[in-house]
């Protein structure tokens, strides 16, 4: 009877579905009315040859509205069929019947990615609630740093204490830093074990061991060079008692493997996708687990049962045959109450619930369990398969090609060491030439085409017919360190923009490549993300053109008494109220709505511009692709300002100056424009053009503070404000000449 119970349940979020579809139809109808108004107005200007009405401003504003309408239409695919899921891991079969799992953790730079944080992620993965003999953790050190190599040995030593402690007392928080930093009552949750004298004594002992572990890491950093290189040989090392200077005992421990792939400056290394593909090949020869968990180095396992939760889908015979991956949301432990930079990315995860109803969410970089078979593009390769074909796809390693067969059982380790023959094979699959003249990165493994390898790999998997599911349990399965300073957020967003635009302007553009290979709604979801950076075009138009026309008394919108004024007003209110409804349904406040509006504008006017420009330059060969890891090291001053809800504008002038220029332009247009229209009694015609800069000024008030009111180090430098004022004068002068005369 127990076996007949479902491992998971899926339900449609009916309230959200009704609200979403009602909004789609009403807002869509209003957009059609707007398009009708604009087209008839422009045709009327052409027909009567009205030379008193400037034609170009109306065309540009209409062009902006068409782009916004198109992007809105694409985004509605996320709203069409939102789902929620629930799992029952207690109904899984016994441990002996569970499949094995490989965990991939990627790090690059021990300075930008502090070693203590990285090792906490490694330790939390090793401590997951899963059979130790079926859990294998691989740490990819793409910088080949001695600090990381020594640190992972220290992590193994501490794990010998930590893992038995977690198992004995059924500890929920298995990241040691998070556990020892948490409120004592938070972990207990009514469990009598946590109040016993034995537990208190043992916890104190483990805490002392953890402090010793952190001191040993700091000692490693002090005595070892943090130098990372793009020229180094491959290093693959199984971490165990023998090479950590410990006596062996009977503690059941997961396999832990350190991997530094070979890198040469003369060979492309394909960033994170290249590192993950090396882990795929190396793990294929060592453990060859059918399922893989991928984690960023700062995203620790917060719920030790995440693997069992994922298995509720992979072991469901109704879902499993076509299931490529299970995606969990990215949540963060360092987000302040105000979250002024929108670091938690609240707006993303309701979209994943929506696309879950149209064959599954997109691959999201970290916190996902993926089927190895889906990455290989293989299913049940037989013994008599053509080896030449396999070599064309996977490379010349005969041992690795054997691992593609389901009957293959790896026998990599003997007394914790590799045989000479196998070590040679492992070093080869970790070399920088292994995937030359193969399908790695093209049709096999994580894809190389774009720096957003997660988005593009997921897109290809869905095009190949795989589905995915999104699971958002009450207790977050993974917690990471969110980016909490403006400069790093802008850098991260520019990198994402480059990758998305690379796809958008290529033959893989989702609206061209996708519709024949996946559902229309799913294609629209991928397209919305790929084309999202093009928001900068309408936003720049609407931040400049109505304001210039306001200064010259040229109306671009219907007057208040015109019936079409209601259409424009409805579209604004409809979009904002829908956004507010989504914010409230996530349990957030009206302040979150304002912050998300602000950060969307800031991203669009800076990151989307530079990211799009970089992507186009890369496509035409004028710029090399690059990937800078996000800096996770904490700056205390910036962190303090973030917690206080104060914006830190210590970012590149190229990023801040455009924002200040547009703010000053809108401020000037609003003040002068309002004075002029009341003087000549034009308020009825110019109401919308007065409201546009006012809305932008209110939403982006922190820019005003940063330029004119603040005196601290995080303010906008006076030189930047002066430069922005000069650029504003240039726009006012030349813009007026071009648009009006």
């Amino acid at each position: 009877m127990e076996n007949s119970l479902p491992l998971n349940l899926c339900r449609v979020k009916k309230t959200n579905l009704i609200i979403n579809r009602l909004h789609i139809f009403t807002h869509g109808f209003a957009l059609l009315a707007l398009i009708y108004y604009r087209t008839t107005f422009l045709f009327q200007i052409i027909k009567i040859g009205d030379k008193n009405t400037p034609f170009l401003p109306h065309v540009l504003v209409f062009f902006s509205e068409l782009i916004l309408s198109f992007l809105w239409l694409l985004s509605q695919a996320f709203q069409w069929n939102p789902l929620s899921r629930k799992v029952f891991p207690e109904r899984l079969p016994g441990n002996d019947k569970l499949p094995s799992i490989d965990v991939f953790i990627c790090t690059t730079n021990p300075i930008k990615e502090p070693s203590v944080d990285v090792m906490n992620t490694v330790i939390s993965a090793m401590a997951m609630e899963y059979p130790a003999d079926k859990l294998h953790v691989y740490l990819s050190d793409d910088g080949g740093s001695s600090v990381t190599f020594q640190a992972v040995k220290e992590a193994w030593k501490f794990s010998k204490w930590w893992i038995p402690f977690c198992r004995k007392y059924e500890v929920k928080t298995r990241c040691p830093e998070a556990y020892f930093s948490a409120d004592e009552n938070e972990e207990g949750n009514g469990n009598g074990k946590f109040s016993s004298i034995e537990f208190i004594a043992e916890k104190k002992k483990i805490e002392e061991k953890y402090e010793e572990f952190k001191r040993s890491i700091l000692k490693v950093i002090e005595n070892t060079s943090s130098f990372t290189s793009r020229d180094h040989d491959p290093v693959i090392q199984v971490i165990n008692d023998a090479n950590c200077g410990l006596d062996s005992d009977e503690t059941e421990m997961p396999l832990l493997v350190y991997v530094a792939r070979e890198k040469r400056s003369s060979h492309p290394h394909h960033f994170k996708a290249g590192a993950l593909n090396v882990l795929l090949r190396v793990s294929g020869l060592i453990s060859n687990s059918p399922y893989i968990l991928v984690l960023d180095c700062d995203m620790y396992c917060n719920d030790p049962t995440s693997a069992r939760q994922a298995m509720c889908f992979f072991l469901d015979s109704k879902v499993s045959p076509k299931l490529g991956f299970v995606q969990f949301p990215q949540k963060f432990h360092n987000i302040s109450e105000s979250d002024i930079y929108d670091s938690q990315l609240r707006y993303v995860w309701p979209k994943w619930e929506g696309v879950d109803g149209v064959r599954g969410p997109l691959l999201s970089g970290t916190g996902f369990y993926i089927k190895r078979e889906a990455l290989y593009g293989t299913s049940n390769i037989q013994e008599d398969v053509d080896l030449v074909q396999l070599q064309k796809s996977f490379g010349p390693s005969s041992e690795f090609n054997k691992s593609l067969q389901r009957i293959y059982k790896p026998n990599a380790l003997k007394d914790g060491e590799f045989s000479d023959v196998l070590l040679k094979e492992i070093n080869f699959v970790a070399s920088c030439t292994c995937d030359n003249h193969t399908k790695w990165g093209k049709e096999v493994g994580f894809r190389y085409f774009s720096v957003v390898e997660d988005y593009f790999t997921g897109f290809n998997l869905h095009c190949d017919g795989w589905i995915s599911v999104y699971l958002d349990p009450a207790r977050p399965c993974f917690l990471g360190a969110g980016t909490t300073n403006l400069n790093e957020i802008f850098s991260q967003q520019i990198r994402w923009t480059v990758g998305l635009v690379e796809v958008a302007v290529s033959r893989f553009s989702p609206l061209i490549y996708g519709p024949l290979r996946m559902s229309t709604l799913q294609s629209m979801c991928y397209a919305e993300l790929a084309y999202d950076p093009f928001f900068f075009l309408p936003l720049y138009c609407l931040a400049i053109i109505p304001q210039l026309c306001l200064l010259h008394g040229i109306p671009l919108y219907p007057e208040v008494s015109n019936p079409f004024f209601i259409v424009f007003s409805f579209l604004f209110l409809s979009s904002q109220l829908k956004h507010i409804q989504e914010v409230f349904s996530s349990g957030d406040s009206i302040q979150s709505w304002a912050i998300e509006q602000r950060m969307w504008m800031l991203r669009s006017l800076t990151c989307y511009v530079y990211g799009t420009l970089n992507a186009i330059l890369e496509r035409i060969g004028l710029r090399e692709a690059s990937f800078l890891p996000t800096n996770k090291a904490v700056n205390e001053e910036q962190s303090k300002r973030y917690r206080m809800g104060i914006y830190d504008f210590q970012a590149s002038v190229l990023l801040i100056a455009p924002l200040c220029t547009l703010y000053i332009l809108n401020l000037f247009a609003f003040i002068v424009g309002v004075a002029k229209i009341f003087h000549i009694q034009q308020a009825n015609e110019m109401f919308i053009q007065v409201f546009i800069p006012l809305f932008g000024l209110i939403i982006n008030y922190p820019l005003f503070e940063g330029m004119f009111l603040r005196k601290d180090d995080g303010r906008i430098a006076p030189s930047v404000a002066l430069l922005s004022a000069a650029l504003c004068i240039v726009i006012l002068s030349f813009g007026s000449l071009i648009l009006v005369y």
Side-chain angles (χ1 to χ4, degrees):
M1 184 69 181
E2 187 177 347
N3 292 333
S4 65
L5 295 173
L7 291 172
N8 61 82
L9 289 178
C10 170
R11 72 173 183 87
V12 176
K13 302 181 81 169
K14 291 184 179 178
T15 303
N16 286 8
L17 183 144
I18 293 168
I19 293 171
N20 292 347
R21 294 191 181 182
L22 184 63
H23 169 73
I24 290 169
F25 290 120
T26 55
H27 195 88
F29 182 77
L31 283 175
L32 291 175
L34 179 149
I35 292 169
Y36 172 79
Y37 170 81
R38 288 294 188 196
T39 51
T40 53
F41 185 84
L42 289 173
F43 278 124
Q44 186 179 4
I45 293 176
I46 296 169
K47 185 177 180 179
I48 66 176
D50 185 358
K51 295 184 179 179
N52 294 322
T53 304
F55 187 69
L56 183 59
H58 285 90
V59 169
L60 290 176
V61 169
F62 185 32
F63 173 71
S64 302
E65 290 164 349
L66 286 175
I67 294 176
L68 290 173
S69 301
F70 173 68
L71 293 173
W72 173 84
L73 179 62
L74 292 179
S75 70
Q76 297 318 294
F78 285 112
Q79 309 288 339
W80 191 251
N81 192 31
L83 301 180
S84 67
R85 297 182 184 271
K86 185 177 181 180
V87 293
F88 305 96
E90 67 276 8
R91 298 175 183 173
L92 286 170
N95 287 348
D96 58 321
K97 295 181 180 178
L98 292 177
S100 62
I101 293 172
D102 292 340
V103 182
F104 293 172
I105 301 169
C106 295
T107 185
T108 300
N109 188 319
I111 297 173
K112 289 190 172 185
E113 299 163 338
S115 295
V116 170
D117 296 343
V118 175
M119 295 310 130
N120 265 276
T121 300
V122 171
I123 292 165
S124 71
M126 294 174 66
M128 282 200 298
E129 192 179 302
Y130 209 74
D133 61 326
K134 296 185 176 184
L135 185 60
H136 320 96
V137 180
Y138 294 81
L139 176 65
S140 169
D141 175 19
D142 230 23
S145 170
S146 299
V147 167
T148 306
F149 183 57
Q150 295 301 323
V152 77
K153 291 185 176 182
E154 297 299 329
W156 173 267
K157 294 177 186 177
F158 174 69
S159 295
K160 298 279 286 186
W161 294 90
W162 175 248
I163 292 175
F165 172 75
C166 291
R167 289 173 183 160
K168 181 177 180 180
Y169 294 103
E170 299 176 354
V171 171
K172 292 180 182 177
T173 303
R174 300 201 176 182
C175 168
E177 182 66 30
Y179 177 76
F180 292 118
S181 302
D183 184 345
E184 288 187 13
N185 296 322
E186 195 175 305
E187 183 69 32
N189 197 24
N191 191 332
K193 289 183 179 180
F194 292 96
S195 57
S196 68
I197 297 173
E198 180 189 7
F199 167 76
I200 294 169
E202 200 161 340
K203 179 184 175 182
K204 184 178 180 181
K205 181 181 178 181
I206 297 297
E207 191 168 5
E208 289 171 357
K209 290 290 182 183
Y210 180 62
E211 292 301 321
E212 183 183 324
F213 158 72
K214 290 199 290 186
R215 287 193 296 272
S216 67
I217 295 285
L218 293 175
K219 189 175 179 181
V220 166
I221 294 170
E222 289 173 6
N223 299 331
T224 311
S225 170
S226 296
F227 175 74
T228 59
S229 171
R230 284 193 61 181
D231 283 282
H232 57 80
D233 293 330
V235 178
I236 293 88
Q237 177 73 62
V238 174
I239 309 299
N240 54 32
D241 292 345
N243 53 41
C244 288
L246 298 177
D247 294 329
S248 296
D249 57 33
E250 295 183 359
T251 305
E252 269 197 300
M253 295 286 287
L255 181 72
L256 177 60
V257 184
Y258 170 88
V259 178
R261 58 172 169 152
E262 181 188 22
K263 291 178 84 172
R264 302 297 173 202
S265 54
S266 57
H267 285 77
H269 55 86
H270 303 296
F271 313 115
K272 184 180 176 182
L276 288 171
N277 282 343
V278 167
L279 291 182
L280 264 178
R281 295 192 292 264
V282 169
S283 64
L285 291 172
I286 298 174
S287 51
N288 203 36
S289 298
Y291 302 102
I292 296 162
L293 166 63
V294 177
L295 293 175
D296 282 348
C297 64
D298 65 318
M299 185 150 285
Y300 65 81
C301 299
N302 184 60
D303 187 335
T305 68
S306 68
R308 293 179 181 272
Q309 292 183 49
M311 288 306 133
C312 289
F313 297 103
F314 286 120
L315 299 184
D316 181 348
S317 58
K318 296 178 182 177
V319 179
S320 183
K322 282 294 181 182
L323 180 59
F325 59 90
V326 176
Q327 179 68 60
F328 291 85
Q330 296 178 26
K331 299 192 177 181
F332 307 101
H333 59 79
N334 62 332
I335 302 300
S336 70
E337 188 175 343
S338 58
D339 189 23
I340 55 174
Y341 301 128
D342 191 25
S343 301
Q344 65 179 330
L345 303 174
R346 185 219 58 84
Y347 64 93
V348 171
W349 307 115
K351 291 184 176 183
W352 265 228
E353 286 184 346
V355 74
D356 197 14
V358 286
R359 302 191 78 245
L362 289 65
L363 204 61
S364 307
T366 181
F368 62 86
Y369 287 84
I370 192 165
K371 191 179 289 183
R372 186 181 289 266
E373 182 183 308
L375 289 169
Y376 287 170
T378 61
S379 58
N380 200 17
I381 292 179
Q382 303 298 323
E383 289 185 77
D384 59 350
V385 69
D386 186 349
L387 292 177
V388 175
Q389 284 300 115
L390 281 183
Q391 289 177 354
K392 286 181 180 179
S393 297
F394 298 96
S397 171
S398 57
E399 195 65 27
F400 177 78
N401 289 335
K402 288 180 187 175
S403 75
L404 301 173
Q405 301 171 14
R406 289 192 178 181
I407 61 170
Y408 177 81
K409 300 292 182 184
N411 189 22
L413 295 173
K414 185 178 181 181
D415 299 326
E417 299 293 335
F418 300 119
S419 68
D420 291 340
V421 174
L422 191 59
L423 182 60
K424 185 177 179 181
E425 290 278 338
I426 291 173
N427 281 328
F428 173 72
V429 298
S431 69
C432 58
T433 58
C434 177
D435 54 9
N436 288 354
H437 312 298
T438 68
K439 293 183 180 178
W440 282 102
K442 302 180 187 75
E443 299 175 30
V444 174
F446 292 87
R447 308 309 202 256
Y448 296 155
F449 182 79
S450 169
V451 292
V452 284
E453 82 296 323
D454 49 354
Y455 169 90
F456 191 62
T457 300
F459 178 60
N460 276 267
L461 294 182
H462 282 130
C463 284
D464 290 340
W466 295 97
I467 63 170
S468 56
V469 299
Y470 174 70
L471 182 63
D472 185 10
R475 180 183 174 95
C477 284
F478 307 100
L479 286 175
T483 310
T484 56
N485 75 77
L486 197 62
N487 192 56
E488 286 299 322
I489 283 175
F490 280 169
S491 299
Q492 187 180 64
Q493 288 286 342
I494 289 171
R495 184 171 72 241
W496 291 345
T497 300
V498 170
L500 292 171
V501 174
E502 282 174 338
V503 178
V505 299
S506 73
R507 69 183 181 91
F508 297 108
S509 184
L511 289 185
I512 298 171
Y513 190 81
L516 296 178
R517 298 170 174 85
M518 60 173 67
S519 71
T520 302
L521 287 174
Q522 197 172 30
S523 298
M524 289 171 65
C525 291
Y526 274 102
E528 195 269 340
L529 291 178
Y531 304 150
D532 191 61
F534 297 118
F535 263 121
F536 81 87
L537 292 169
L539 218 56
Y540 263 98
C541 283
L542 296 176
I544 296 173
I545 294 166
Q547 291 75 355
L548 293 177
C549 291
L550 173 64
L551 291 171
H552 290 274
I554 301 168
L556 295 176
Y557 296 90
E559 59 187 30
V560 175
S561 58
N562 188 320
F564 281 97
F565 175 83
I566 298 173
V567 172
F568 283 84
S569 301
F570 174 81
L571 285 168
F572 174 79
L573 291 172
S574 170
S575 60
Q576 298 307 319
L577 289 173
K578 183 64 175 72
H579 185 190
I580 290 170
Q581 178 265 323
E582 290 173 1
V583 169
F584 284 176
S585 67
S586 300
D588 291 290
S589 65
I590 196 72
Q591 184 186 22
S592 298
W593 163 79
I595 289 169
E596 289 183 15
Q597 286 285 317
R598 181 182 307 133
M599 289 306 299
W600 172 71
M601 293 180 190
L602 299 187
R603 285 195 306 268
S604 298
L605 296 169
T606 53
C607 309
Y608 290 174
V609 178
Y610 292 118
T612 301
L613 180 61
N614 287 345
I616 292 171
L617 291 176
E618 285 178 18
R619 289 289 295 166
I620 61 179
L622 295 180
R623 186 179 183 276
E624 284 190 10
S626 61
F627 184 100
L628 293 175
T630 305
N631 192 350
K632 299 296 182 181
V634 176
N635 179 299
E636 286 302 328
E637 282 299 314
Q638 290 180 333
S639 181
K640 182 180 178 182
R641 277 191 281 270
Y642 170 71
R643 290 193 298 271
M644 293 170 64
I646 300 172
Y647 282 81
D648 191 313
F649 292 106
Q650 296 181 82
S652 168
V653 175
L654 292 174
L655 295 170
I656 300 298
L659 301 175
C660 295
T661 301
L662 292 175
Y663 195 91
I664 293 170
L665 172 65
N666 278 259
L667 182 62
F668 177 78
F670 176 73
I671 294 170
V672 176
V674 167
K676 286 182 69 173
I677 64 173
F678 280 107
H679 178 69
I680 59 176
Q681 296 184 342
Q682 222 182 354
N684 187 47
E685 295 176 310
M686 307 297 288
F687 181 84
I688 294 178
Q689 276 165 263
V690 170
F691 179 77
I692 289 173
L694 177 62
F695 182 73
L697 293 172
I698 294 171
I699 287 291
N700 295 296
Y701 178 72
L703 284 172
F704 181 86
E705 279 187 322
M707 283 188 286
F708 304 119
L709 303 181
R710 288 170 51 186
K711 303 297 181 184
D712 58 275
D713 291 341
R715 67 175 177 168
I716 295 169
S719 58
V720 175
L722 287 171
L723 173 63
S724 302
L727 291 171
C728 177
I729 293 170
V730 172
I731 293 172
L732 286 169
S733 303
F734 288 95
S736 298
L737 289 172
I738 294 169
L739 291 174
V740 180
Y741 299 110

